[in-house]
Amino acid sequence: MTTATGPATGTYAPKPGAAPLPRMIAAQAVLETKMLLRNGEQLLLTVVIPTLLLVLFSSVDIVDTGAGKSVDFLTPGILALAVMSTAFTGQAIATGFERRYGVLKRLASSPLPRWGLMTAKTASVLVTEVLQVILLTAIAFSLGWSPHGGPLAVLLLLVLGTAAFSGLGLLMAGTLRAEATLAAANLVFLLLLVGGGVIVPLDKFPAGARGVLELLPVSALSDGLRAVLQHGAAMPWGDCGILAVWAVVGLAAAGKFFRWE
Amino acid sequence: MRSEPVVQVQALVKRYGTKTAVDGLDLVAQAGVTAVLGPNGAGKTTTVETCEGYRRPDSGTVRVLGLDPVRQSRELRPRIGVMLQSGGVYSGARADEMLRHVAKLHAHPLDVDALIERLGLGSCGRTGYRRLSGGQQQRLALAMAVVGRPELVFLDEPTAGLDPQARRATWDLVRDLRADGVSVILTTHYMEEAEQLADDVAIIDAGRVIAQGSPEELCRGGAENTLRFTGRPGLDIGSLLKALPADCTAAELTPGAYRVAGKVDPQLLATVTSWCAQHGVMPDRISVERHTLEDVFLELTGKELRS
């Protein structure tokens, strides 16, 4: 054998170094988004179900959505559902399986820092949400939707909602087994779809239950979006407050309990 | 030229609950290829994963390229390449996609296409990770470990379960890495792999290093080696012994079958054949038996390695 420490000139001669941080995070965000858009189950959750619910319940009078056009009631709820499907359900399931398949472990020994990976995940969630909002609002407009209110309040609600759902999704993905996360995330999605004021108005529930349901993140998000988009309210501070509390608690718990492998 | 060790582990202890996986392990690996050899459950993976920064030692110190793998991880990570025992790839990713991605995380990566070609992964570039064969998945993991042009590569059982052809491809790459100045720490439970590739072998059992040295040193240090030949019966053993070095023994096992035991080297072989020449003996079927690492391991631990 030749000596191991000769002059380093060959193909594999060491030349280590991390790529610039913004480039690493951008590359990671692009890959995460590609994985998400390529996954059929994820698309069912983030695109197909919200679209179907919006079209179905706007055109067929199944649920009494109160006074006014049903699309005006439904669209804010469906936007809240879209945020939940991506930031919570989709992110929890994807991250749970990444943990299970050693992807998080492998990336942890790459030059990309952990916070960089989390930033990329958030960016990928935001990109997906933008696509969802574009698609769903286009469909809503075609169904005769007439929104009110300012875009700033809507944006703040969407960002707070994303933070709250991401914290809860990552907490689940980082503590449960991947299969348990898959089951639980889907179950929670279904329960919150029904009981979170997304398509069924919360005043249909008994007063006692309603008081609790109103504190759920999806209820706060759909209620806040509805206050702005349907009723033209300025800034629904109460709903923002509920979402902010969920965001702080969820992200802090995820930060504390998340296990990488 | 010997620079500072690439890995220095001192009195490492790592427990999982009540089970002690690594029990006061000391290991120094110099530049080159170091094989960490041991049966399943000996503590190989725990030791390597502590070096990679995945596990915090319960006690003891670990330095990799002079750095603390936990506290100086940010500095260390770009300089090392890691091949996990399994997994590490998005289940929805295509083989080339993940490799290209890891390349993008480094400043001066290897040419990805050339690396894919080199490892025979060209045919499965667009195939999804889940549909790759076990051997292809392992070669992809190997490619991911080297693509960032690291100074030091950790390979955790890189050829476990590979067919002979894929194993040779992996061995060839390890030899090329070494020739180009990349240091390699590899765990294995294949004796042959350690003998073929390693400059230095550390044998681990029950969480400790029980022997370390070059494959030759380890084989020499074990039981005596032997030289056997056949000739006409009744040769003068006393005369043969006088010709041999003092620490050798010689015996006629059965009429005409002779055995010389001791440090078997070219000099000893020459001594025996020239003694035969002087005494008009034609040594038929002369054979040299040197101990393999497997013998050494069995002797040290009394355990089967390849089980």
Side-chain angles (χ1 to χ4, degrees):
Chain A
M1 282 198 194
T2 51
T3 56
T5 49
T9 50
T11 313
Y12 305 102
K15 199 173 179 187
L21 200 50
R23 210 167 79 200
M24 286 198 276
I25 294 175
Q28 186 66 36
V30 168
L31 185 70
E32 298 262 344
T33 311
K34 265 198 232 169
M35 292 303 114
L36 200 150
L37 295 179
R38 197 179 289 164
N39 185 317
E41 294 92 330
Q42 296 276 28
L43 286 183
L44 179 72
L45 212 62
T46 54
V47 176
V48 179
I49 290 177
T51 305
L52 275 181
L53 291 175
L54 179 60
V55 173
L56 182 71
F57 286 92
S58 297
S59 15
V60 187
D61 200 12
I62 305 171
V63 184
D64 175 15
T65 54
K69 279 181 293 181
S70 56
V71 68
D72 288 342
F73 172 86
L74 284 167
T75 306
I78 295 293
L79 289 176
L81 182 73
V83 169
M84 179 170 79
S85 70
T86 299
F88 173 72
T89 323
Q91 185 165 225
I93 294 171
T95 308
F97 278 96
E98 283 160 19
R99 182 166 152 250
R100 152 77 164 277
Y101 289 133
V103 179
L104 298 182
K105 183 176 179 179
R106 179 61 187 78
L107 289 173
S109 68
S110 81
L112 178 70
R114 281 176 178 181
W115 67 264
L117 174 61
M118 284 307 166
T119 307
K121 281 190 172 297
T122 306
S124 147
V125 164
L126 292 175
V127 166
T128 311
E129 286 179 359
V130 167
L131 297 176
Q132 286 175 301
V133 168
I134 291 173
L135 175 77
L136 292 169
T137 52
I139 293 171
F141 278 122
S142 76
L143 293 167
W145 182 41
S146 44
H148 305 275
L152 205 66
V154 172
L155 201 63
L156 180 68
L157 283 162
L158 293 178
V159 167
L160 283 173
T162 302
F165 284 125
S166 290
L168 297 171
L170 292 173
L171 176 63
M172 196 178 253
T175 51
L176 302 181
R177 280 185 311 115
E179 290 78 5
T181 298
L182 178 68
N186 279 317
L187 181 67
V188 169
F189 177 83
L190 195 68
L191 291 177
L192 292 187
L193 166 64
V194 176
V198 173
I199 42 179
V200 183
L202 283 184
D203 53 26
K204 305 272 177 205
F205 290 90
R210 193 178 150 187
V212 177
L213 293 178
E214 274 171 351
L215 296 175
L216 295 173
V218 71
S219 313
L221 184 55
S222 52
D223 185 68
L225 288 173
R226 207 164 275 140
V228 178
L229 292 169
Q230 191 179 9
H231 306 296
M235 185 66 83
W237 291 113
D239 293 318
C240 286
I242 294 174
L243 289 174
V245 169
W246 277 107
V248 169
V249 171
L251 290 170
K256 182 157 172 52
F257 298 113
F258 196 95
R259 291 197 311 267
W260 291 79
E261 51 176 298
Chain B
M1 188 184 89
R2 282 234 132 160
S3 43
E4 65 165 328
V6 292
V7 168
Q8 278 179 293
V9 176
Q10 278 178 340
L12 175 66
V13 175
K14 184 70 198 172
R15 295 183 200 90
Y16 301 113
T18 55
K19 188 179 167 285
T20 302
V22 174
D23 187 15
L25 182 139
D26 295 296
L27 176 68
V28 176
Q30 305 289 344
V33 178
T34 303
V36 176
L37 191 68
N40 294 327
K44 302 189 295 288
T45 296
T46 301
T47 302
V48 167
E49 290 196 342
T50 310
C51 294
E52 292 162 344
Y54 287 123
R55 324 222 165 271
R56 221 175 266 273
D58 288 327
S59 67
T61 58
V62 176
R63 291 290 175 275
V64 176
L65 301 174
L67 301 169
D68 180 323
V70 176
R71 280 188 296 127
Q72 292 168 299
S73 129
R74 181 102 187 248
E75 221 177 311
L76 178 62
R77 278 183 276 123
R79 297 173 64 187
I80 61 171
V82 169
M83 176 185 181
L84 300 176
Q85 231 176 69
S86 66
V89 181
Y90 288 89
S91 59
R94 292 186 291 261
D96 67 328
E97 200 168 31
M98 190 66 195
L99 184 57
R100 280 177 215 288
H101 177 64
V102 175
K104 278 187 201 140
L105 302 178
H106 291 88
H108 319 282
L110 295 175
D111 183 298
V112 172
D113 292 309
L115 187 58
I116 285 175
E117 207 51 48
R118 172 77 168 73
L119 284 169
L121 292 167
S123 58
C124 50
R126 313 260 320 153
T127 311
Y129 178 72
R130 274 173 299 188
R131 296 177 60 188
L132 297 180
S133 72
Q136 288 167 333
Q137 290 185 350
Q138 248 159 319
R139 275 176 281 162
L140 176 61
L142 176 64
M144 283 161 57
V146 305
V147 74
R149 299 183 68 174
E151 292 163 60
L152 171 63
V153 177
F154 291 97
L155 309 175
D156 198 357
E157 301 195 358
T159 63
L162 289 189
D163 61 48
Q165 212 177 346
R167 175 166 301 161
R168 302 238 162 241
T170 300
W171 286 1
D172 286 344
L173 182 66
V174 171
R175 291 191 182 108
D176 287 357
L177 289 171
R178 179 184 181 280
D180 287 349
V182 181
S183 293
V184 179
I185 309 282
L186 68 93
T187 72
T188 183
H189 50 237
Y190 294 114
M191 288 297 173
E192 198 195 347
E193 190 157 286
E195 280 175 329
Q196 288 278 336
L197 298 177
D199 300 296
D200 199 33
V201 178
I203 298 181
I204 295 193
D205 189 41
R208 287 165 168 273
V209 172
I210 53 171
Q212 187 176 2
S214 70
E216 296 76 28
E217 282 165 355
L218 285 175
C219 294
R220 213 168 37 230
E224 291 180 318
N225 295 314
T226 56
L227 186 154
R228 292 167 193 269
F229 65 95
T230 53
R232 56 169 197 271
L235 292 176
D236 182 356
I237 297 291
S239 157
L240 175 58
L241 272 173
K242 266 187 223 129
L244 294 172
D247 55 352
C248 286
T249 61
E252 184 173 4
L253 301 177
T254 56
Y258 299 89
R259 185 187 66 189
V260 176
K263 186 183 169 213
V264 175
D265 56 14
Q267 188 53 52
L268 184 79
L269 184 61
T271 306
V272 171
T273 50
S274 73
W275 180 87
C276 286
Q278 280 165 24
H279 294 78
V281 176
M282 179 62 209
D284 288 326
R285 275 185 277 165
I286 188 159
S287 69
V288 172
E289 286 169 23
R290 286 158 66 85
H291 286 256
T292 62
L293 272 179
E294 182 125 26
D295 301 324
V296 176
F297 186 84
L298 285 171
E299 215 167 280
L300 287 169
T301 68
K303 281 181 194 160
E304 280 297 331
L305 198 63
R306 235 180 278 202
S307 55

